[in-house]
């Protein structure tokens, strides 16, 4: 085995700090911020980055993938209904047809391929970063996000009275899943109305989510389960095709809005 070349601790520290700071500085004024690194957010990030858009994913956990690692009820198998299996082809994710038009794939394989596809396309990620609030401009147009470290947000205010920072962006995409956290912030200020997710109805839910994917307010879009929560659409449970297709459609709409 070859031996390692000499590198000091200080060099390692400088490498981490300068690379992180360079990325963060670039995104102080970005094009698109996607809040949430689940399947819909990752898919949208990949599509936008492939088109040359500067896109940043904000993710509160130290990993990406959201609910896409596990198929449901702590079982690894992910299900996808036709025609979303064509996206699995695009991402080079292996799958089997379980029954007509219903496909299965192992969560870890599908999720890691999707993460790699977003990163390969050029999407950047801030992990352990929690969306806290929106930047609001004239007529309440959303002009970016206010974020803080997840551990800071998790501690009581009396221990960490640490102000967050803002990242300006032309467009913010709420991909936070069932909570629709960005939409909720606007609702709390009485700027828009969030209906809340409906009960489960797989037959209806997936088409409806894709159909309603889009701009919910100037400067803000919703994709994935955040769409269901915003409009009161039925949930679909552990099937993920609509998350991938909503992410893809969301990216197309975002490109139009950026023009
Ligand atoms: O929940 P999640 O996977 O959302 P999605 O892309 O997909 C939903 C499916 O996983 C499944 C389903 C349909 O198949 O019902 O639930 O709509 O991913 C949401 C991501 O957003 C992050 C969260 O940690 C997760 O990775 N997130 C949520 N709130 C915040 C956040 C926040 N305030 N700041 C940063 N990240």
């Amino acid at each position: 085995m070859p031996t390692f070349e000499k590198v000091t601790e200080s060099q390692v520290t400088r490498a981490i700090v300068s690379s992180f700071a360079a990325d963060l500085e670039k995104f102080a004024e970005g094009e698109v911020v996607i809040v949430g690194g689940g399947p819909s957010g990752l898919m949208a990030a990949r599509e936008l980055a492939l088109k040359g858009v500067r896109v940043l994913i904000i993710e509160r956990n130290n990993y990406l993938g959201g609910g896409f690692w596990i198929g449901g009820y702590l079982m690894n198998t992910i299900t996808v209904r036709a025609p979303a299996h064509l996206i699995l082809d695009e991402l080079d994710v292996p799958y089997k047809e379980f029954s007509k038009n219903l496909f299965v794939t192992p969560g870890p394989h599908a999720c890691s391929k999707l993460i790699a596809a977003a990163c390969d396309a050029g999407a950047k990620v801030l992990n352990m970063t929690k969306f806290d609030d929106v930047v609001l401009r004239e007529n309440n147009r959303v002009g970016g996000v206010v974020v803080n470290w997840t551990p800071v947000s998790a501690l009581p205010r009396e221990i960490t009275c640490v102000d967050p920072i803002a990242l300006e962006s032309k467009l913010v995409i709420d991909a936070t899943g069932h909570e629709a956290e960005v939409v909720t912030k606007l609702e709390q200020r009485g700027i828009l109305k969030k209906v809340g997710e409906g009960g489960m109805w797989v037959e209806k839910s997936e088409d409806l989510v894709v159909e309603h994917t889009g701009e919910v307010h100037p400067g803000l879009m919703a994709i994935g389960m955040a769409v269901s929560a915003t409009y009161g659409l039925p949930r679909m449970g552990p099937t993920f095709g609509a998350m991938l297709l909503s992410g893809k459609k969301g990216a197309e709409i975002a490109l139009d809005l950026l023009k």
Side-chain angles (χ1 to χ4, degrees):
M1 289 292 276
T3 55
F4 285 101
E5 302 293 344
K6 182 174 161 39
V7 169
T8 64
E9 287 81 1
S10 58
Q11 283 175 291
V12 172
T13 303
R14 282 194 192 106
I16 295 171
V17 174
S18 346
S19 310
F20 182 84
D23 274 350
L24 189 60
E25 200 180 347
K26 242 183 271 162
F27 282 102
E29 199 179 352
E31 277 190 290
V32 176
V33 168
I34 299 180
V35 185
S40 64
L42 287 165
M43 193 67 212
R46 174 199 185 237
E47 299 294 299
L48 285 167
L50 282 178
K51 291 282 188 313
V53 174
R54 282 193 305 125
V55 54
L56 176 72
I57 299 175
I58 300 288
E59 171 53 56
R60 68 183 169 190
N61 288 324
N62 67 349
Y63 59 90
L64 292 167
F68 203 41
W69 290 106
I70 301 263
Y73 200 62
L74 299 184
M75 296 179 286
N76 267 0
T77 305
I78 296 282
T79 66
V80 165
R81 295 161 66 202
H85 65 299
L86 299 176
I87 295 190
L88 298 182
D89 285 334
E90 236 179 84
L91 299 172
D92 198 24
V93 173
Y95 59 85
K96 289 185 191 140
E97 189 163 24
F98 177 78
S99 56
K100 196 166 161 39
N101 291 325
L102 179 62
F103 301 87
V104 289
T105 177
H109 205 154
C111 196
S112 51
K113 284 269 191 177
L114 178 56
I115 294 168
C119 295
D120 287 347
K124 296 285 180 201
V125 181
L126 280 185
N127 277 108
M128 295 302 281
T129 302
K130 194 166 183 300
F131 163 83
D132 186 59
D133 206 344
V134 285
V135 173
L136 280 183
R137 302 297 192 210
E138 66 289 345
N139 302 321
N140 288 328
R141 177 179 63 82
V142 174
V145 291
V146 179
V147 297
N148 216 331
W149 299 115
T150 299
V152 169
S153 310
L155 286 167
R157 280 290 278 179
E158 59 269 24
I159 299 181
T160 55
C161 193
V162 177
D163 263 332
I165 58 163
L167 304 171
E168 290 182 43
S169 71
K170 292 182 182 150
L171 194 58
V172 174
I173 301 183
D174 188 341
T176 59
H178 300 265
E179 289 95 10
E181 297 214 7
V182 189
V183 169
T184 302
K185 271 284 165 198
L186 294 192
E187 191 205 21
Q188 285 166 354
R189 293 204 172 86
I191 294 171
L192 59 74
K193 195 168 153 38
K194 179 184 136 195
V195 183
E197 201 172 70
M200 196 182 290
W201 192 359
V202 74
E203 209 40 48
K204 292 274 177 212
S205 55
E206 294 208 276
D207 285 316
L208 285 171
V209 163
V210 179
E211 197 182 299
H212 286 74
T213 292
E215 195 180 30
V216 291
H217 183 79
L220 176 64
M221 288 180 55
I223 62 175
M225 286 314 288
V227 177
S228 299
T230 302
Y231 297 108
L233 308 177
R235 59 191 300 187
M236 75 268 326
T239 190
F240 290 81
M243 300 301 103
L244 303 174
L245 283 174
S246 171
K248 211 177 181 48
K249 181 180 171 190
E252 284 164 16
I253 295 171
L255 283 171
D256 275 347
L257 292 172
L258 288 173
K259 281 182 209 151

